[in-house]
Amino acid sequence: MRKIFLVMGLCFVAFAALSQERYGINTGQGVQIDYSNPKVFEIAEIKYTGLRILDERALTSFAGIKVGDRIPIPGQEISDAIKRLWGQGIIADVQFWLTKTEGDRAWIEVKLTERPRILRYNITGVTSTQESDLKDQINIIGKVASSPLIKNSELLVKKYFEEKGYLNTTVKTVQSGDSVLVDGTSLTFEVDKNEKVKIRKIHFEGNEAFEDGRLKGPLKNTNEKARFWLFAHLFDQVFKTRPKSAVRYFAQSDTVATGEVKQFINDNVKLNILKSSKFIAADFEEDKKSLINFYNSKGYRDAEIVSDEVEKIDDEYIDVKIKVDEGNKYYIRNIEWVGNYKYTDAFLTEKLGIEKGDVYNRERIEQRTNFDGQNGDDINSLYSDDGYLFFRLDVVEVRAENDSIDLEMRMSEGEQATIKRIILKGNDRTSDHVVLREIRTLPGQKYSRKELIRTIRELGQLGYFDPEQINPQPIPNLQDGTVDIMFTLVEKSSDQIQLSGGFGGPFGFVGTVGLSLNNFSIKNIGNWDKWRPYPSGDGQKLSLQLQSNGRRFQSYSLIFSEPWLGGKKPNNFTVSLNRTANRSLDPYNNNELYGYLKSSGITVGLGRRLRWPDDYFQIQNSISYQFYNVYNFGQTLGFETGQSNSLTFNTVISRSNIDNPQYPKLGTQFTLAINATPPWSALMPDYFEPDSEGNPISEEKRYKFIEYHKWMMDLSMFIPLNKKFVVNARAHMGFIGSYTDRTDSGPFERFFLGGSGLNGANNFVIGQDIIGLRGYDDNSIVPVDPVTGFRGGIVYNKFVAELRYPVSLAPTSTIYLLTFAEAGNAWNKFSEYTPRNLFRSAGFGARVFLPAFGLLGIDWAYGFDSDLDLGITAGSQIHFTIGQQLR
């Protein structure tokens, strides 16, 4: 026993000596202190040495000892001061020295070694993108390289990769001095991400109403790994004892074996081919909420997750275990309305769409009472669309018995709100009247949520403001029952400068110079204050374009449009001029001219919005005159020589309710265009009769007055699949006919299919309607009339299906990717038309919309069908497009 106490005593003395050495005080030469009998001294001076960056006054505050204090030396005060300085984490070493004493006065020197500051750091074992992301989060340059700081930085790096599924990430920090880094240090975070941890299996416990496979659906971001090997295991375990073919085995649905197969698949197979199986804690928390929402939607209002556990299988896999308490399934027994005066109980119940006996669905009740985002067909929208801005509705569960719930709809209708003021902010370039004429919620009218949403769409369609940032904010005035609506707008450039080139089929390279001013103002031409940098602000459109590849081809066009002629109604007035020359040159004879096709024309149009069938419809009427001068130019049109006059009356009926002109996510577009010339053969029958000798009139005379009627129909639908993906389905059809049998539809305005449709978009070709069909050569699907020799079809069909995904919806650059399938064809006669005989293709591409240059696109497509008689071969094609193409 004595030996034990002796050892303990020696350990205590050694520990006390070490503690005193670390937290005690050193003495200078000639200075002595008695540890067994401390003496109280007055501090005459405290001098800090070894400082480089630290401030002496701050250190004095940290230490808690200052000049004038009376403390025992040696004593606890010195030890506590040392501990406090150490605790800051900014000092590598600290020593207190008693350098001098005079009577009861003491002089103290504090010798410090500062921790180095971080002057640079790098991260290894990661990609350049990951390193950039991490350095945006780690802000340690200039800070002291303390252990807590380094540890926190390591934890931040680990958290970054854990959120990406790398749960076994390790981080090691290497600290090194550097002769270049004076008074500083360099850190290297060595990261080993290891493999992503995947979810091998999701287990559920306590679920009786739904099988495991059904509960895995709401877990959108927590998915099992796709395990194709389970099918092999299935056949090994089940089929080896039942030697039947797989087809017969699955066909016999009433056998016990089939039940075993179905149960095995339900319990073990979840093929997430396109979904990631990595585990992210934050996503798992959201998925647990989704799981409860799923139960709530099925009537299980009391469902809860009792526990969840993540079990590590190995370094690569984990299992997730979720225990649920489903509770009872509830049904709605009674619905009672309280506070409703405008509408009856029966009407509101019918509008609610939820009846007695329905499964209690909390999410559906919320949707049917408060702003259904799909169509606004809910109780709150019903009142808000009729001016009841101050309407409130609370759904209260007044009674829950056994499996039944009674609901009480407590309403406060309030007064109808009248719009008092419209406040505009952010339209620095666009005049107020241009914005106000598109607003459907004007002062003096009742407030309407529906009309407010429609106004957002109309303002977005102008193209002058960023559609994603149009933010109307109702400001209620409770005192007088009115509301102010403040529109916060963000201007964006809608003008386009086109400096581009493209291959125009037989023309080779064609250069384009264009300028489109989409917010022009004739009125402000003389007002220099409105030049930004041109007279702007009134919403008029002015477009100038020049295209050429030299002597062979030139095209000029000028278009002016006033969308509100007179300023009171949306009457769209348009006038356009065009001049095009296409020359045939002989490359073997010094490019001597041997043929040409020249065209000049003018179009004047007036359009307006319609109120029937609804006010999304518009009608545009115009009259056009086009003069064609053709000489020895039969290789393109099949019409050799002559002068033709085309006077057409054009009507376009359109409807569009898309939400965004650059990247529509929702809505439809419909266009029916009818172009008709006067029926010259009926008005001047003698002109088209054979001569006295029975000879038919010449081709030059017959087509001096062009006669046809042309019908074009285009339909486009945008269907959102989720927050990102959008399906665009399009159908296009065209037909050209004649009035009498004295003449045919002529050589002009026929349909040419194939390629990108770039020619038609940029008017490279005169007198033809170019329809794109990706996967085939430009203008390759061109039937030839065996009688007249005219090239191009008089009937065409085209169908397109696209799946779009946005990369960026910023107003400065809208970028989206797409994959598509399309099919189309053209025919010489309507009797030959069959929608099944189509040239098909599929592929993928990308679109970039730049405000200054418009829409640019690139597609890779593969054509599946060949026709050797027409010279059409299937295969791979790359297409470039410029501008927004209708067809």
Side-chain angles (χ1 to χ4, degrees):
M1 182 65 69
R2 292 180 184 177
K3 292 182 180 180
I4 294 174
F5 279 110
L6 179 61
V7 172
M8 291 177 63
L10 291 173
C11 291
F12 177 78
V13 171
F15 178 78
L18 289 171
S19 300
Q20 185 64 45
E21 180 181 352
R22 180 175 182 184
Y23 295 117
I25 187 167
N26 303 294
T27 57
Q29 187 174 5
V31 180
Q32 295 184 353
I33 57 175
D34 186 355
Y35 282 95
S36 63
N37 186 22
K39 181 181 179 182
V40 176
F41 288 93
E42 179 185 345
I43 306 300
E45 179 186 60
I46 298 180
K47 181 172 66 174
Y48 290 88
T49 60
L51 299 182
R52 294 180 179 273
I53 298 175
L54 296 177
D55 181 70
E56 185 172 322
R57 289 175 296 180
L59 292 172
T60 301
S61 176
F62 293 150
I65 300 176
K66 61 183 182 298
V67 173
D69 289 351
R70 295 183 66 82
I71 62 172
I73 300 178
Q76 188 65 35
E77 287 78 0
I78 296 295
S79 297
D80 290 344
I82 293 173
K83 292 177 182 178
R84 283 192 289 267
L85 290 172
W86 266 98
Q88 301 304 313
I90 57 178
I91 296 172
D93 188 32
V94 57
Q95 297 178 6
F96 274 65
W97 288 78
L98 182 62
T99 59
K100 176 183 175 181
T101 60
E102 291 182 1
D104 64 347
R105 303 181 71 198
W107 279 254
I108 294 178
E109 179 183 359
V110 182
K111 297 181 179 180
L112 298 171
T113 301
E114 296 182 10
R115 287 187 184 272
R117 292 183 179 268
I118 302 169
L119 298 185
R120 71 183 182 193
Y121 70 95
N122 58 76
I123 307 171
T124 62
V126 300
T127 66
S128 58
T129 300
Q130 293 168 345
E131 183 179 16
S132 177
D133 291 343
L134 286 169
K135 286 189 173 182
D136 287 340
Q137 301 179 37
I138 300 176
N139 184 20
I140 58 175
I141 296 296
K143 295 183 179 179
V144 175
S146 63
S147 296
L149 179 72
I150 293 174
K151 186 64 176 178
N152 288 337
S153 299
E154 291 176 350
L155 291 175
L156 192 151
V157 174
K158 290 188 66 175
K159 181 181 178 182
Y160 172 83
F161 285 105
E162 286 174 355
E163 291 177 349
K164 296 182 177 297
Y166 297 94
L167 302 187
N168 296 322
T169 299
T170 60
V171 184
K172 179 182 177 183
T173 304
V174 177
Q175 183 174 342
S176 61
D178 195 320
S179 59
V180 178
L181 305 178
V182 180
D183 299 330
T185 187
S186 172
L187 298 182
T188 299
F189 297 100
E190 297 178 350
V191 179
D192 186 357
K193 297 181 293 186
N194 293 306
E195 293 294 327
K196 282 186 178 181
V197 175
K198 301 179 179 63
I199 301 172
R200 188 193 68 167
K201 188 79 173 66
I202 300 176
H203 303 271
F204 290 93
E205 182 181 348
N207 54 309
E208 297 179 358
F210 303 100
E211 296 180 353
D212 288 11
R214 188 69 181 90
L215 296 182
K216 292 171 186 177
L219 307 180
K220 301 297 183 183
N221 301 302
T222 308
N223 302 287
E224 295 176 343
K225 183 180 183 297
R227 300 189 303 280
F228 294 101
W229 58 268
L230 287 173
F231 283 109
H233 179 69
L234 169 68
F235 278 85
D236 287 343
Q237 298 300 316
V238 179
F239 288 124
K240 68 181 181 181
T241 60
R242 299 177 178 87
K244 301 177 183 180
S245 69
V247 175
R248 286 188 59 198
Y249 188 80
F250 281 105
Q252 295 175 347
S253 58
D254 58 339
T255 63
V256 175
T258 304
E260 294 177 7
V261 174
K262 292 172 65 176
Q263 185 62 45
F264 185 88
I265 293 175
N266 286 336
D267 292 343
N268 296 280
V269 180
K270 184 182 180 186
L271 298 178
N272 300 306
I273 301 173
L274 299 178
K275 294 183 178 180
S276 171
S277 62
K278 64 186 179 183
F279 179 83
I280 298 175
D283 289 344
F284 181 50
E285 292 300 318
E286 290 299 318
D287 282 345
K288 287 193 294 183
K289 295 178 183 178
S290 298
L291 179 61
I292 296 301
N293 289 337
F294 167 76
Y295 266 108
N296 292 160
S297 69
K298 302 301 181 182
Y300 295 87
R301 67 187 283 271
D302 300 328
E304 62 178 346
I305 295 176
V306 177
S307 63
D308 61 86
E309 179 185 354
V310 176
E311 180 183 355
K312 182 177 180 179
I313 304 302
D314 50 37
D315 289 342
E316 187 176 357
Y317 290 104
I318 62 172
D319 278 1
V320 176
K321 298 180 179 180
I322 302 174
K323 184 177 181 180
V324 299
D325 181 0
E326 296 178 332
N328 294 330
K329 185 175 183 179
Y330 288 87
Y331 299 85
I332 295 175
R333 182 169 58 188
N334 295 309
I335 300 176
E336 184 178 355
W337 299 88
V338 178
N340 54 306
Y341 300 99
K342 182 175 178 63
Y343 301 107
T344 64
D345 291 4
F347 176 83
L348 291 175
T349 301
E350 182 181 358
K351 187 71 174 179
L352 182 66
I354 299 174
E355 300 177 352
K356 180 178 179 179
D358 286 354
V359 172
Y360 177 82
N361 185 335
R362 185 177 300 170
E363 182 180 3
R364 176 164 172 76
I365 292 172
E366 179 66 23
Q367 289 177 347
R368 298 303 303 150
T369 55
N370 289 303
F371 296 142
D372 180 4
Q374 295 297 320
N375 52 25
D377 187 24
D378 56 85
I379 302 299
N380 213 320
S381 296
L382 173 69
Y383 277 88
S384 295
D385 291 344
D386 198 26
Y388 289 90
L389 176 64
F390 310 109
F391 173 81
R392 296 292 179 269
L393 170 60
D394 295 320
V395 181
V396 180
E397 299 175 8
V398 294
R399 188 174 295 103
E401 295 177 346
N402 298 324
D403 64 348
S404 300
I405 291 180
D406 294 341
L407 299 179
E408 188 171 273
M409 306 295 186
R410 298 177 182 175
M411 303 170 57
S412 174
E413 294 178 340
E415 298 293 331
Q416 287 179 304
T418 302
I419 299 170
K420 185 176 181 180
R421 291 188 305 161
I422 298 295
I423 304 170
L424 303 180
K425 292 179 60 178
N427 58 315
D428 302 324
R429 184 182 182 190
T430 305
S431 301
D432 285 356
H433 74 270
V434 174
V435 180
L436 290 173
R437 69 194 186 189
E438 301 295 337
I439 291 178
R440 293 171 172 264
T441 53
L442 298 175
Q445 296 178 346
K446 288 189 301 184
Y447 172 82
S448 172
R449 171 183 174 269
K450 179 175 66 176
E451 294 299 331
L452 196 62
I453 294 174
R454 178 70 182 274
T455 295
I456 295 173
R457 174 193 171 276
E458 300 294 345
L459 292 176
Q461 291 280 24
L462 289 176
Y464 310 147
F465 311 108
D466 178 11
E468 302 292 327
Q469 299 190 61
I470 298 176
N471 182 27
Q473 180 182 358
I475 306 173
N477 306 309
L478 297 177
Q479 295 79 5
D480 58 3
T482 62
V483 60
D484 298 335
I485 302 179
M486 182 170 66
F487 286 86
T488 302
L489 306 170
V490 178
E491 294 260 19
K492 70 171 187 176
S493 175
S494 60
D495 304 321
Q496 296 177 6
I497 299 174
Q498 187 175 357
L499 298 171
S500 62
F503 284 89
F507 302 104
F509 182 83
V510 178
T512 300
V513 178
L515 176 64
S516 295
L517 308 178
N518 293 317
N519 198 358
F520 189 71
S521 175
I522 291 180
K523 182 180 66 176
N524 292 329
I525 290 179
N527 186 354
W528 292 102
D529 294 337
K530 298 292 185 179
W531 284 64
R532 302 173 186 171
Y534 62 87
S536 60
D538 282 343
Q540 298 165 349
K541 295 177 173 59
L542 179 65
S543 177
L544 304 165
Q545 190 178 75
L546 166 65
Q547 296 174 304
S548 176
N549 73 339
R551 184 184 173 199
R552 184 173 182 183
F553 175 81
Q554 296 94 37
S555 178
Y556 315 89
S557 65
L558 168 66
I559 302 174
F560 173 78
S561 177
E562 165 56 75
W564 283 67
L565 184 64
K568 295 183 179 181
K569 293 184 179 181
N571 296 321
N572 183 23
F573 173 76
T574 303
V575 59
S576 65
L577 304 170
N578 65 82
R579 167 69 176 171
T580 305
N582 182 0
R583 301 177 179 88
S584 298
L585 306 177
D586 186 354
Y588 303 104
N589 191 16
N590 296 323
N591 284 330
E592 181 178 344
L593 176 68
Y594 67 84
Y596 57 78
L597 168 59
K598 299 179 182 180
S599 173
S600 301
I602 181 173
T603 300
V604 178
L606 183 63
R608 61 186 178 90
R609 294 178 187 172
L610 301 177
R611 296 184 179 274
W612 185 88
D614 60 39
D615 56 3
Y616 287 108
F617 277 88
Q618 295 187 6
I619 185 169
Q620 180 82 19
N621 296 301
S622 63
I623 182 170
S624 299
Y625 172 73
Q626 198 78 20
F627 175 74
Y628 297 98
N629 188 5
V630 184
Y631 172 72
N632 196 23
F633 206 80
Q635 76 276 20
T636 301
L637 298 173
F639 177 50
E640 294 285 346
T641 299
Q643 294 182 343
S644 298
N645 300 272
S646 177
L647 178 65
T648 58
F649 300 93
N650 315 302
T651 295
V652 178
I653 301 173
S654 62
R655 185 185 188 275
S656 174
N657 65 345
I658 60 172
D659 57 343
N660 188 327
Q662 272 74 53
Y663 185 78
K665 301 176 185 176
L666 182 68
T668 59
Q669 290 177 306
F670 169 79
T671 302
L672 174 62
I674 306 171
N675 304 331
T677 67
W680 303 115
S681 60
L683 298 175
M684 303 183 298
D686 295 341
Y687 182 86
F688 293 90
E689 292 294 333
D691 60 18
S692 57
E693 297 180 358
N695 298 317
I697 61 174
S698 65
E699 184 179 82
E700 181 177 355
K701 182 179 179 181
R702 183 173 185 174
Y703 300 113
K704 183 175 183 179
F705 298 99
I706 300 175
E707 176 182 302
Y708 65 88
H709 54 91
K710 183 175 182 179
W711 303 72
M712 303 280 284
M713 185 177 67
D714 305 281
L715 176 63
S716 180
M717 301 177 61
F718 297 91
I719 306 169
L721 296 184
N722 52 30
K723 292 182 179 180
K724 290 290 186 179
F725 287 99
V726 175
V727 172
N728 175 218
R730 304 195 300 270
H732 309 276
M733 182 178 183
F735 169 68
I736 303 175
S738 56
Y739 297 106
T740 68
D741 57 2
R742 295 188 181 93
T743 184
D744 50 47
S745 55
F748 299 103
E749 303 301 323
R750 289 174 171 248
F751 304 116
F752 288 59
L753 269 68
S756 62
L758 186 64
N759 297 356
N762 291 274
N763 299 319
F764 291 170
V765 181
I766 311 167
Q768 300 175 10
D769 209 326
I770 306 298
I771 312 296
L773 187 63
R774 292 166 288 190
Y776 299 92
D777 288 329
D778 288 343
N779 305 338
S780 59
I781 304 175
V782 183
V784 179
D785 192 307
V787 177
T788 63
F790 295 155
R791 303 182 71 245
I794 65 167
V795 182
Y796 93 94
N797 238 163
K798 178 182 173 182
F799 304 97
V800 184
E802 287 185 354
L803 179 64
R804 300 180 175 185
Y805 179 83
V807 177
S808 169
L809 296 180
T812 54
S813 59
T814 299
I815 305 172
Y816 62 90
L817 307 177
L818 60 89
T819 181
F820 65 88
E822 61 185 31
N825 201 355
W827 296 267
N828 264 320
K829 298 178 181 179
F830 193 79
S831 59
E832 298 175 353
Y833 167 72
T834 171
R836 294 185 178 182
N837 182 21
L838 302 176
F839 291 91
R840 302 163 299 165
S841 66
F844 56 86
R847 297 292 183 272
V848 179
F849 179 85
L850 302 175
F853 298 99
L855 189 66
L856 308 176
I858 181 172
D859 295 302
W860 175 87
Y862 189 89
F864 299 107
D865 302 297
S866 299
D867 190 322
L868 299 181
D869 293 336
L870 294 177
I872 302 171
T873 57
S876 173
Q877 295 276 346
I878 294 179
H879 304 285
F880 297 93
T881 58
I882 301 173
Q884 185 75 51
Q885 294 178 291
L886 178 62
R887 304 177 179 92

